[in-house]
Amino acid sequence: MEYKEKLQQLDLTLPAATYDFRISLASEKVVDQHVTSIPQGWSMQRVKRRRSYMRRDHNIAWQIDVTEVTSRPRDATQAKSIVFEIEMELRSYA
């Protein structure tokens, strides 16, 4: 189970392009690593399919993540949404 907090966001519109450009700064924290099923009272389920890329020699602290996020509301009559993210993340050395 995770908690994601958006800290800052900048949206750039690209009129001639199919997609717009967004730069976000966020903090993600694991709330409980032992949660293996959806807790009671949930409102939204996020399923992430992520591929991470980094240098094999780990000389650079950054990694690139390419993620498909499917958000499914508890109410089955509401539509699910699929978002694609490309992220540059600073790896923790803790």
Side-chain angles (χ1 to χ4, degrees):
M1 193 159 78
E2 293 180 337
Y3 172 75
K4 183 174 183 177
E5 179 182 5
K6 288 186 181 179
L7 303 173
Q8 194 65 257
Q9 183 168 300
L10 173 65
D11 292 319
L12 302 170
T13 303
L14 305 172
T18 305
Y19 297 99
D20 292 334
F21 192 68
R22 173 178 292 146
I23 300 172
S24 297
L25 179 62
S27 174
E28 293 183 10
K29 298 174 185 161
V30 175
V31 177
D32 187 346
Q33 63 185 355
H34 302 293
V35 173
T36 56
S37 61
I38 300 172
Q40 202 161 2
W42 67 280
S43 59
M44 183 72 68
Q45 177 188 22
R46 293 178 75 227
V47 177
K48 296 193 248 181
R49 292 179 42 185
R50 176 178 287 171
R51 296 271 189 228
S52 296
Y53 304 92
M54 66 186 86
R55 286 183 55 113
R56 288 184 184 165
D57 60 11
H58 299 285
N59 283 338
I60 299 175
W62 292 94
Q63 74 181 34
I64 304 292
D65 292 335
V66 180
T67 309
E68 176 187 285
V69 181
T70 303
S71 297
R72 184 176 62 90
R74 181 178 188 163
D75 182 354
T77 62
Q78 295 180 353
K80 68 178 180 181
S81 68
I82 299 175
V83 175
F84 299 94
E85 300 175 348
I86 297 175
E87 302 170 296
M88 283 184 62
E89 293 190 350
L90 185 59
R91 291 184 291 116
S92 171
Y93 285 103

